[in-house]
């Protein structure tokens, strides 16, 4: 996001999502799975999630309710995860821009809020760990924060909806 006046559809969705979450109104469904993944945690209602097993490590888990008997071929799984990962990184980079340009207030999550792998995670959650350093860093950052929009973002958001 070099300038907020020239936004991609994804960046507009991110701003709409942040405002909707803060106002506790209905969030745009197109980003719900991705933002939920950034928030972390394991829940059968999630399609995928990000897990931080260590301070500088990241794993993308994809859920399959039927378990290991219904997993797609590894190459298909990797291709799907690559697509998910690219979108997650774009979201993270956009959120970082909003932080740096003072559109949002950031609160770091309590380290005690760390989620743990569920006991049966290997039965339903398939791991993808192929992240480059340039992808891990922005994702780790946004996974560690809570975002609250500032008045500056609300004013900009209003111009999007005129």
């Amino acid at each position: 996001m070099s300038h907020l006046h020239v936004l991609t559809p994804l960046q507009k969705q991110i701003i709409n999502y942040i405002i909707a979450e803060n106002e506790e109104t209905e969030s745009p469904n197109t980003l719900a799975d991705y933002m939920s993944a950034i928030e972390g945690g394991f829940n059968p209602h999630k399609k995928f999630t990000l897990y931080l097993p260590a301070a500088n490590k990241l794993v993308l888990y994809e859920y399959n309710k039927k378990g290991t008997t219904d997993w797609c071929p590894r190459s298909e799984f990797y291709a799907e995860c690559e697509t998910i990962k690219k979108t997650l990184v774009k979201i993270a980079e956009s959120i970082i821009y909003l932080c740096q340009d003072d559109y949002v207030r950031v609160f770091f999550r309590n380290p005690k809020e760390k989620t743990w792998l569920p006991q049966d995670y290997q039965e339903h959650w398939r791991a993808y760990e192929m992240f480059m350093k340039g992808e891990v860093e922005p994702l780790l950052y946004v996974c560690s924060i809570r975002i609250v929009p500032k008045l500056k973002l609300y004013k900009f958001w209003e111009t999007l909806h005129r």
Side-chain angles (χ1 to χ4, degrees):
M1 255 194 254
S2 57
H3 299 290
L4 275 185
H5 64 280
V6 181
L7 296 177
T8 66
L10 178 64
Q11 291 165 333
K12 289 177 185 175
Q13 291 173 351
I14 293 166
I15 291 170
N16 286 334
Y17 185 92
I18 290 170
I19 299 290
E21 282 293 303
N22 192 62
E23 296 299 316
E24 297 180 359
T25 59
E26 192 171 324
S27 301
N29 289 334
T30 54
L31 281 187
D33 291 335
Y34 293 94
M35 298 305 279
S36 178
I38 288 169
E39 292 167 5
F42 292 85
N43 180 323
H45 299 292
K46 289 186 175 209
K47 294 179 181 178
F48 48 88
T49 192
L50 289 170
Y51 176 68
L52 291 69
N56 61 350
K57 177 101 168 115
L58 192 62
V59 180
L60 172 65
Y61 279 95
E62 188 177 55
Y63 182 75
N64 185 326
K65 68 180 177 185
K66 293 182 182 178
T68 58
T69 59
D70 192 38
W71 281 358
C72 62
R74 186 173 295 276
S75 60
E76 191 178 314
F77 170 71
Y78 281 3
E80 189 175 317
C81 287
E82 277 294 314
T83 302
I84 293 168
K85 176 178 71 171
K86 285 178 185 175
T87 302
L88 287 169
V89 170
K90 286 178 186 175
I91 291 169
E93 290 170 346
S94 296
I95 290 171
I96 289 169
Y97 172 80
L98 292 173
C99 296
Q100 291 171 340
D101 227 33
D102 209 29
Y103 282 93
V104 295
R105 184 172 290 116
V106 172
F107 298 96
F108 285 92
R109 295 176 193 233
N110 183 342
K112 293 179 183 176
E113 293 180 38
K114 179 175 173 43
T115 55
W116 301 98
L117 290 168
Q119 265 187 325
D120 64 345
Y121 79 96
Q122 290 178 321
E123 187 176 319
H124 294 284
W125 293 91
R126 194 170 182 183
Y128 174 85
E129 301 181 48
M130 298 171 73
F131 289 89
M132 305 296 279
K133 183 179 179 183
E135 297 166 335
V136 171
E137 289 174 352
L139 287 170
L140 286 176
Y141 177 74
V142 297
C143 286
S144 68
I145 62 172
R146 294 193 193 284
I147 303 162
V148 177
K150 289 186 169 185
L151 182 58
K152 182 178 178 180
L153 186 64
Y154 275 99
K155 286 181 178 180
F156 181 75
W157 177 77
E158 286 176 348
T159 66
L160 293 175
H161 296 282
R162 284 189 194 151

